[in-house]
Amino acid sequence: MTNTLLETVEIESGANPSAAIIWMHGLGADANDFVPIVKELDLRDCPAIRFIFPNAPQIPVTLNGGYIMRAWYDIAAAGTDINKREDESGLRQSQQQVEALITRENARGIATENIILAGFSQGCAMSLQTGLRHPQKLAGIMGLSGYVPLADKIAEERHPANQNTSIFLVHGTVDPVIPIQRAQQSRDLLVSLGYPVEWHDYWMQHSVSPQEIMDIGFWLRKVLKK
């Protein structure tokens, strides 16, 4: 994997943004996947935000017969077997690329304490993989329909800088891709480690619901209020 910055799609909610949200898509999607949601979010009382949607690298995915697609890391199994044979190397390589995006925002004048890491499914895993280990305090970590990867290493590898950072987790109660039990295990792990976790579940599959979008907006207003 090269050191070049990931391709991104960017949207600014106002002039001269002082906050940023780095929002990562799920397996097989691309940077445009969550762009339409921006206009649905209620961002009143928030500073101007730069939304950054990066494209994951194109890699062969074992679960899909080696088909090359956008993925943050390889997936060997799904459902209740999702913890087996985790692609630790891929996770850590993508973590470095997300870190590079944070560094770029710092260079563009946005402090780390005003940056949120967000993601859906694999993107959720990446927001947690990166955010819990980041050595500077973030504004928040948002995980949609995903889980904590490399869960057995979090206690040892987490950085105290984000011990009190708000973590927003949501999941569908009938998700056939990542069972809600997997997400609940991640939530319980983070709570046991003392993180402030806001949890929501919805009657939905591996998707996003209107109520979820409302709750995301409320949380963003809370953690980014002027």
Side-chain angles (χ1 to χ4, degrees):
M1 190 174 289
T2 66
N3 291 323
T4 53
L5 276 171
L6 296 169
E7 298 174 345
T8 59
V9 173
E10 297 185 7
I11 298 175
E12 296 183 357
S13 67
N16 304 312
S18 59
I21 300 176
I22 301 171
W23 197 322
M24 290 155 279
H25 62 75
L27 176 67
D30 64 22
N32 293 292
D33 199 31
F34 279 84
V35 168
I37 284 180
V38 173
K39 66 179 182 294
E40 299 181 43
L41 294 171
D42 181 354
L43 300 176
R44 60 186 163 168
D45 301 326
C46 287
I49 302 168
R50 178 181 295 127
F51 288 85
I52 301 143
F53 300 96
N55 266 327
Q58 302 229 39
I59 63 170
V61 175
T62 302
L63 181 66
N64 293 333
Y67 186 80
I68 294 175
M69 61 180 62
R70 293 201 181 280
W72 297 104
Y73 50 92
D74 189 25
I75 292 280
T80 55
D81 293 328
I82 207 163
N83 274 341
K84 295 180 180 175
R85 294 166 53 201
E86 281 191 286
D87 178 15
E88 181 171 349
S89 174
L91 279 156
R92 295 192 189 279
Q93 286 179 323
S94 285
Q95 177 188 342
Q96 290 176 3
Q97 293 196 298
V98 176
E99 294 276 5
L101 292 175
I102 296 173
T103 299
R104 183 178 68 171
E105 289 314 295
N106 295 157
R108 293 202 281 187
I110 297 182
T112 303
E113 64 185 15
N114 294 325
I115 295 174
I116 289 172
L117 294 184
F120 175 81
S121 195
Q122 268 204 345
C124 166
M126 287 313 310
S127 69
L128 291 162
Q129 170 74 18
T130 307
L132 296 173
R133 294 168 172 80
H134 194 66
Q136 294 176 302
K137 180 169 174 54
L138 295 154
I141 302 170
M142 182 169 74
L144 314 177
S145 299
Y147 56 91
V148 174
L150 306 182
D152 58 340
K153 293 181 167 59
I154 284 296
E156 178 184 348
E157 295 181 357
R158 64 194 176 126
H159 196 284
N162 284 292
Q163 179 64 56
N164 297 314
T165 297
S166 178
I167 300 176
F168 180 85
L169 297 180
V170 306
H171 214 87
T173 55
V174 288
D175 189 328
V177 178
I178 300 172
I180 189 169
Q181 292 83 357
R182 176 72 187 91
Q184 290 167 334
Q185 289 170 5
S186 292
R187 174 201 63 194
D188 294 347
L189 170 64
L190 295 174
V191 169
S192 74
L193 293 172
Y195 288 98
V197 176
E198 179 175 332
W199 167 270
H200 299 266
D201 54 51
Y202 313 95
W203 179 259
M204 65 177 186
Q205 297 190 355
H206 199 60
S207 58
V208 178
S209 75
Q211 181 62 48
E212 178 180 351
I213 292 171
M214 289 180 60
D215 291 337
I216 289 171
F218 185 83
W219 180 76
L220 291 177
R221 296 194 302 274
K222 187 165 57 175
V223 300
L224 291 178
K225 61 186 175 184
K226 295 178 182 176

